[in-house]
Amino acid sequence: MFRVLISAAALAASSFAIAHAQESDDASWALVIHGGAGVIERGAMTPEREAEYRAAMAAALERGEAVLSADGSALDAIEAVIHGMEDDPLFNSGRGAVFTAAGRNELDASIMDGATLNAGAVAGVTQVRHPISLARHVMDNSRHVMLQGEGAETFAREQGLEIVPPAFFFTERRWAAMERTLTSLGLDIPARPDGAPDAAEIDHGELDRDAREHRFGTVGVVALDRAGNIAAGTSTGGTTAKRWGRVGDSPIIGAGTYANNQSCGVSATGTGEFFIRLTVASRICALVEFQGLDLQAAADRVIMDELTAMDGDGGIVALTPSGEIAWSFNTPGMYRARLSEGGFPVVAIYGDED
């Protein structure tokens, strides 16, 4: 498997620069978002594509701000932000999801309420337009925490959520990336899905960039509302050409998503198997709650030290009830953005950005 970790010196520099407290002490709501991590380096991305990502992350902040500034809940802000990202082919979530080895888009999502510790998650859904909303319905309207596959989709229909044909999620660049991966593994390429458009020409240079940049295209949000409640949510299409019903960390509470008003909220993106083993999201919050670490120190201990020591790669965004914001990643870049009430929006991509 292709993996790149930046050097120890670069990690230290990145750690110093990549997370900050909120801009004003009296801010009452706050928001932090990621759009995936990977080998995202200056000069490797076209200026046009970089502008598209910056605009998409800024728009995600605007959706969250619209909810939170109107006294909406952190949970509502999570849904509003991720809905747009699930509909944006730039991200490996919803309509931009990668394909499995069987030629399917299998979508995972989770959401958690820091006020109650209630949570909902779904895995392997193929026809639900907004998996993050299905995860919330699991949390709010069922006795369970996680549903998967056909059962989750049956529940979605019963809840009146929007159902779409699988071809709704099809994008040519993700299909081409799956074909390339299967060819490199010596595996058969499946037939194009029913309803998919005719094959289109793909820029192979773009595929090369995608392979580096979008190793982890998961999207995630942590929000703090004016009532002082935290929520976290994550949505993903998983990994390109995954097999055997593989499920990563994104729908697993405590690994890819966690929120607790007593400590913090976290959403993660990375090699899910390592995030599951380390229970990354809840581990960061436990360090804040039980060892008294500040959020940045807790995030860096888990991501820069523990995850890196396991040869795991990826990153997180996090937020405390006091409005302290952090992000930490051990890859060269991560699409990320933050905004606190009364402050200025920050959108960043590369490891050397604020």
Side-chain angles (χ1 to χ4, degrees), residues 223-236:
L224 169 67
D225 59 33
R226 284 176 172 161
N229 295 320
I230 284 180
T234 310
S235 181
T236 190

Side-chain angles (χ1 to χ4, degrees), residues 44-57:
M45 192 186 316
T46 66
E48 294 78 12
R49 180 52 58 86
E50 178 178 333
E52 288 177 352
Y53 273 103
R54 291 189 186 276
M57 295 303 292

Side-chain angles (χ1 to χ4, degrees), residues 112-167:
M112 188 168 184
D113 181 0
T116 63
L117 302 188
N118 288 337
V122 294
V125 298
T126 62
Q127 298 185 67
V128 180
R129 178 173 179 176
H130 293 299
I132 192 65
S133 289
L134 178 53
R136 185 169 182 186
H137 278 258
V138 172
M139 177 179 71
D140 290 342
N141 301 325
S142 83
R143 297 181 293 110
H144 309 298
V145 170
M146 181 183 288
L147 301 180
Q148 58 87 29
E150 292 182 5
E153 292 180 340
T154 297
F155 179 74
R157 291 182 173 88
E158 292 175 355
Q159 293 292 303
L161 296 181
E162 185 174 0
I163 303 299
V164 295

Side-chain angles (χ1 to χ4, degrees), residues 84-304:
M85 299 178 91
E86 287 175 335
D87 282 342
D88 190 335
L90 287 173
F91 300 105
N92 175 16
S93 174
R95 198 160 203 174
V98 299
F99 286 88
T100 69
R104 291 156 49 96
N105 305 110
E106 295 182 358
L107 313 176
D108 307 331
S110 62
I111 194 166
M112 188 168 184
D113 181 0
T116 63
L117 302 188
N118 288 337
V122 294
V125 298
T126 62
Q127 298 185 67
V128 180
R129 178 173 179 176
H130 293 299
I132 192 65
S133 289
L134 178 53
R136 185 169 182 186
H137 278 258
V138 172
M139 177 179 71
D140 290 342
N141 301 325
S142 83
R143 297 181 293 110
H144 309 298
V145 170
M146 181 183 288
L147 301 180
Q148 58 87 29
E150 292 182 5
E153 292 180 340
T154 297
F155 179 74
R157 291 182 173 88
E158 292 175 355
Q159 293 292 303
L161 296 181
E162 185 174 0
I163 303 299
V164 295
F168 174 86
F169 302 109
F170 184 95
T171 57
E172 196 67 46
R173 64 194 284 232
R174 303 300 194 195
W175 184 261
M178 179 270 293
E179 289 183 320
R180 173 182 284 197
T181 301
L182 291 180
T183 298
S184 70
L185 295 173
L187 298 174
D188 293 336
I189 295 174
R192 288 171 73 90
D194 291 340
D198 293 339
E201 188 70 24
I202 289 292
D203 180 346
H204 287 276
E206 181 178 357
L207 284 183
D208 290 337
R209 290 189 294 272
D210 279 352
R212 297 189 303 269
E213 297 165 8
H214 297 283
R215 176 97 185 283
F216 322 120
T218 300
V219 305
V221 188
V222 187
L224 169 67
D225 59 33
R226 284 176 172 161
N229 295 320
I230 284 180
T234 310
S235 181
T236 190
T239 59
T240 299
K242 64 184 179 182
R243 303 173 71 191
W244 309 300
R246 179 264 187 189
V247 177
D249 64 302
S250 295
I252 297 179
I253 301 303
T257 303
Y258 193 76
N260 185 340
N261 281 5
Q262 302 304 310
S263 54
C264 68
V266 175
S267 176
T269 175
T271 305
E273 285 72 12
F274 293 97
F275 282 71
I276 293 169
R277 293 169 193 167
L278 269 178
T279 59
V280 163
S282 62
R283 192 178 187 89
I284 291 169
C285 293
L287 289 172
V288 171
E289 183 174 2
F290 300 115
Q291 293 195 21
L293 271 65
D294 65 42
L295 185 62
Q296 183 58 52
D300 284 344
R301 177 183 293 187
V302 175
I303 298 299
M304 299 300 191

